[in-house]
Amino acid sequence: SAVISQKPSRDICQRGTSLTIQCQVDSQVTMMFWYRQQPGQSLTLIATANQGSEATYESGFVIDKFPISRPNLTFSTLTVSNMSPEDSSIYLCSARGQGDGTEAFFGQGTRLTVV
Amino acid sequence: DAKTTQPTSMDCAEGRAANLPCNHSTISGNEYVYWYRQIHSQGPQYIIHGLKNNETNEMASLIITEDRKSSTLILPHATLRDTAVYYCIVRVTTRYGGATNKLIFGTGTLLAVQP
């Protein structure tokens, strides 16, 4: 199994500012992902973080708003840019090995409130 | 994408078996069925996964029908700590049937274990 640590665990931010969330995995993994969970809702996949290249974004999410970095196999960051109250959500990092039948592990999430 | 359908909510008495159903009638032959749960204010937790055969681990059992169009997650002796949202997920495939590594969450089943 893999242990995933996210920082910060929570933050309150002013609208118009940006927040960078860090995700550290305790072992080398092939795949890393970022999800958003709005209040009372299920998880929505934002993007796949690719090592050494641009992230692959899902429909409705763009790089200018959610820039992602992944400089190595164990670390990734998600930035929420130019925040508005609608960005208030829990942001979760996930990691898994590649191939069929491999399980994914999740961090505890970052609870973001934009005021 | 193979879609899943789950009941919105279920109740279960403490100490009894909890049986959570999931329909995935459009599942492809090489797609695994995954189950995760999310306890309030925590990241999703992996429970079990399977392809064709029934599976059992220390947390639960997974029963997959012969035609693979539905499955049931069984928690043999539910406790209050099992109260959570349970997600049944079939991994996304590409347009040409190749597997991707993304896990797309549906709305899940809120299981409430009653004392």
Side-chain angles (χ1 to χ4, degrees):
Chain A
S1 65
V3 176
I4 300 177
S5 302
Q6 279 186 239
K7 292 181 181 179
S9 59
R10 59 177 62 230
D11 207 343
I12 300 174
C13 300
Q14 296 291 323
R15 67 178 67 198
T17 63
S18 297
L19 175 71
T20 295
I21 302 168
Q22 298 180 359
C23 176
Q24 178 73 54
V25 188
D26 70 345
S27 59
Q28 291 190 348
V29 292
T30 305
M31 312 297 297
M32 294 183 74
F33 306 89
W34 287 97
Y35 288 82
R36 180 176 73 181
Q37 188 169 29
Q38 295 177 302
Q41 303 295 314
S42 181
L43 283 77
T44 301
L45 180 64
I46 297 173
T48 302
N50 301 308
Q51 186 202 356
S53 64
E54 192 172 289
T56 304
Y57 290 85
E58 298 298 308
S59 176
F61 297 95
V62 295
I63 187 172
D64 289 346
K65 177 65 176 177
F66 297 102
I68 289 171
S69 78
R70 190 180 172 193
N72 57 52
L73 285 175
T74 63
F75 186 78
S76 178
T77 67
L78 168 74
T79 299
V80 186
S81 302
N82 189 24
M83 289 184 285
S84 67
E86 292 71 33
D87 294 319
S88 297
S89 290
I90 298 173
Y91 292 86
L92 295 124
C93 174
S94 175
R96 66 182 296 185
Q98 192 165 11
D100 291 332
T102 58
E103 64 214 54
F105 301 93
F106 288 81
Q108 291 302 297
T110 296
R111 184 179 296 273
L112 171 62
T113 302
V114 183
V115 297
Chain B
D1 299 0
K3 306 295 185 185
T4 61
T5 304
Q6 300 177 251
T8 302
S9 63
M10 293 181 62
D11 288 344
C12 177
E14 188 177 18
R16 302 296 294 271
N19 297 279
L20 291 90
C22 179
N23 287 320
H24 31 78
S25 58
T26 60
I27 192 171
S28 299
N30 60 351
E31 290 180 309
Y32 282 76
V33 179
Y34 292 82
W35 282 84
Y36 285 78
R37 73 179 182 184
Q38 188 175 27
I39 296 170
H40 183 63
S41 296
Q42 297 184 20
Q45 176 190 21
Y46 167 79
I47 301 174
I48 199 167
H49 71 278
L51 183 61
K52 297 179 180 178
N53 300 320
N54 298 337
E55 302 288 343
T56 296
N57 62 21
E58 65 277 5
M59 289 183 66
S61 295
L62 174 60
I63 308 299
I64 302 174
T65 58
E66 191 170 347
D67 63 6
R68 302 186 72 242
K69 294 183 183 299
S70 66
S71 61
T72 301
L73 179 74
I74 300 173
L75 307 179
H77 305 286
T79 70
L80 297 178
R81 287 176 291 183
D82 292 322
T83 293
V85 178
Y86 287 77
Y87 296 100
C88 168
I89 303 167
V90 177
R91 203 173 69 184
V92 174
T93 56
T94 65
R95 180 187 306 174
Y96 303 103
T100 73
N101 289 287
K102 300 187 291 187
L103 292 180
I104 304 299
F105 285 73
T107 54
T109 296
L110 174 58
L111 174 68
V113 180
Q114 308 292 341

